[in-house]
Amino acid sequence: MKIVDARVIVTSPDRNFVTLKIVTDEGVYGVGDATLNGRELAVASYLTDHVRPLLIGRDPAAIEDTWQYLYRGAYWRRGPVTMTAIAAVDTALWDIKGKVAGLPVYQLLGGRSRDRVLVYGHAQGSTVAETVAEVGRYLDAGYRAVRAQTAVPGVSGTYGIGSDGDRYEPASAGLPEETRWSTRNYLDHAPELFAEIRRVHGNDFDLLHDVHHRLSPIEAAGLGKALEPYRLLYLEDPTPAEDQTAFRLIRQHTTTPIATGEVFNSIIDCQRLITERLIDYVRTSVVHAGGITHLRRILALAELYGVRSGAHGATDLSPVCLAAAVHVDTAVPNFGIQEYMPHTPATDAVFPRSHWFDNGHLHPGDAPGLGVDIDEEAAAEHPYQPAYLPVARLHDGSMHDW
Ligand code: EZ4
Ligand code: CO
């Protein structure tokens, strides 16, 4: 069997997605997500202009060798654009291998470690009362884990607060939205939210929160301490994730479990965090961390140190990535939790899939391969829309981490 084509499909059913479709001479094909929010066309070009010529004629069964060829074989390696492109190739090849074997991908990864995949939903509100009510709505709908975010007084465009019900979509058309950030207002406000959620809804569910890289290490340590009584499953991205040693300081001060890694693209990005046991959950995803092949390697290292997975699953990770994630989540021993935000009906129409959601859990389904596809005719109805993620500034106008 040989690869005869590798097509990059850019489509925007309510938001942009980049999908790689690898086609073989026997007609079997596979799909991989290549979406990098706000930088979509950079990955599309990397794939079309630089990777596609390397794939034509290769054996689609040689997944590991192709991964090594695209990683080691490139002098300029790592980085989100490169690793997202490699992820798309890798994911599509796992899809092909599953289809050829007649097996769902989780079976190729060693089979089931669990019956179902625990997810967390996103509760958000413009006031504490609204967010508390939203948490209740998720619990009533059967979710056993909920992330809670609330608008911070004095902050414009708080991360995690949207106007579209279950969905939070930070990217917008035109130039980046300018948001304002105040660490003082945030730190004053956040503990009140979690006190109120636990007072109203009790302790019998997992509660999560995303700081989205906004704090200094000592501020994060203080927040972790303040939130200890509310027993979070984890506090996500308390500090800018690339500063691995920052987590040492956080760890010295608080027992609130820590998660990070949605922006990581390589095992090197989280090596120290895992081996020094500075985090409890690693949030690397299939699409942004080199595909199923590389994510498995990260999770195998994590397993050795008692670190669990907590995969990124916002709506900018396409249904193709989510399908791949559910296979990995089903198979790996140290799965922790999967982030889950439903895609829009327009997105669902472009990406038919066999994985399914029920009662706070995802199931991979038993279709061969990933069990997800792209309807190219439907995709063609939604041309690319230039969009950016927001930026954040402090009150004096200087830049802050978004
Ligand atoms: O801001 O995926 O935990 N989820 C997140 C996301 C990220 C977006 C960026 O594209 O932090 O909402
Ligand atoms: Co996050």
Side-chain angles (χ1 to χ4, degrees):
M1 198 182 270
K2 276 187 175 19
I3 296 172
V4 292
D5 198 6
R7 282 207 296 285
V8 176
I9 303 154
V10 181
T11 178
S12 192
D14 295 328
R15 67 157 359 279
N16 292 316
F17 294 109
V18 181
T19 308
L20 179 70
K21 179 167 176 175
I22 296 183
V23 184
T24 68
D25 56 352
E26 295 182 22
V28 183
Y29 65 87
V31 290
D33 183 18
T35 310
L36 185 61
N37 205 358
R39 296 291 186 271
E40 294 87 359
L41 299 186
V43 184
S45 161
Y46 192 97
L47 283 168
T48 308
D49 299 328
H50 306 293
V51 173
R52 184 179 184 279
L54 309 175
L55 295 177
I56 306 300
R58 290 186 78 85
D59 173 6
I63 297 179
E64 184 67 46
D65 183 64
T66 299
W67 197 95
Q68 299 291 339
Y69 188 83
L70 296 176
Y71 181 85
R72 273 178 210 276
Y75 184 63
W76 312 109
R77 61 179 69 158
R78 299 173 62 205
V81 174
T82 304
M83 295 303 279
T84 299
I86 295 178
V89 174
D90 183 80
T91 307
L93 295 183
W94 279 101
D95 191 22
I96 290 172
K97 194 178 280 294
K99 286 176 178 171
V100 170
L103 292 170
V105 166
Y106 75 82
Q107 292 290 10
L108 306 180
L109 302 176
R112 280 185 187 278
S113 283
R114 56 193 48 76
D115 299 330
R116 52 188 187 160
V117 168
L118 176 70
V119 306
Y120 67 91
H122 283 214
Q124 47 168 300
S126 51
T127 62
V128 167
E130 228 178 89
T131 308
V132 171
E134 277 293 289
V135 171
R137 198 172 65 77
Y138 276 94
L139 296 176
D140 290 345
Y143 282 81
R144 300 313 312 150
V146 187
R147 174 186 112 158
Q149 309 289 137
T150 199
V152 178
V155 164
S156 76
T158 308
Y159 165 78
I161 312 304
S163 50
D164 189 16
D166 286 350
R167 295 179 200 98
Y168 168 62
E169 200 58 84
S172 57
L175 294 176
E177 181 197 352
E178 298 260 343
T179 66
R180 288 276 159 171
W181 175 251
S182 162
T183 296
R184 189 194 56 228
N185 291 4
Y186 169 70
L187 289 177
D188 277 352
H189 197 63
E192 184 191 330
L193 170 66
F194 292 94
E196 196 55 13
I197 292 171
R198 286 302 191 202
R199 189 185 68 76
V200 172
H201 298 299
N203 280 324
D204 194 21
F205 65 99
D206 289 319
L207 191 51
L208 306 89
H209 180 62
D210 190 350
V211 184
H212 218 261
H213 321 268
R214 301 294 169 90
L215 300 177
S216 73
I218 200 71
E219 291 161 352
L223 179 63
K225 274 172 86 165
L227 296 182
E228 278 171 21
Y230 316 118
R231 290 195 260 147
L232 264 55
L233 181 77
Y234 61 64
L235 184 65
E236 175 183 334
D237 289 335
T239 50
E242 71 270 27
D243 181 0
Q244 296 193 31
T245 56
F247 290 81
R248 286 192 192 132
L249 192 143
I250 300 171
R251 255 325 197 220
Q252 285 161 7
H253 292 278
T254 181
T255 56
T256 291
I258 304 293
T260 200
E262 69 184 38
V263 295
F264 291 167
N265 48 72
S266 148
I267 196 167
I268 304 299
D269 296 333
C270 42
Q271 180 179 16
R272 187 182 285 161
L273 293 176
I274 291 170
T275 58
E276 291 188 23
R277 302 177 196 270
L278 299 179
I279 56 171
D280 302 280
Y281 294 84
V282 61
R283 285 181 45 74
T284 38
S285 65
V286 170
V287 58
H288 299 137
I292 292 173
T293 297
H294 196 62
L295 182 58
R296 270 177 110 196
R297 207 158 269 144
I298 294 172
L299 296 181
L301 178 69
E303 187 200 352
L304 196 58
Y305 294 93
V307 174
R308 290 185 167 270
S309 70
H312 188 203
T315 36
D316 48 296
L317 289 76
S318 91
V320 176
C321 177
L322 184 62
V326 178
H327 286 278
V328 173
D329 296 343
T330 298
V332 296
N334 54 328
F335 167 77
I337 197 162
Q338 172 68 49
E339 182 178 21
Y340 176 62
M341 260 196 275
H343 289 102
T344 68
T347 300
D348 289 345
V350 171
F351 296 97
R353 86 289 297 271
S354 64
H355 64 259
W356 45 285
F357 173 82
D358 176 54
N359 215 22
H361 294 79
L362 281 166
H363 301 258
D366 273 313
L370 295 173
V372 67
D373 206 345
I374 181 163
D375 177 336
E376 292 188 65
E377 273 176 33
E381 288 166 21
H382 306 282
Y384 170 72
Q385 307 284 335
Y388 282 101
L389 285 171
V391 296
R393 291 186 190 276
L394 301 176
H395 280 91
D396 67 358
S398 59
M399 292 296 297
H400 195 66
D401 303 85
W402 176 72

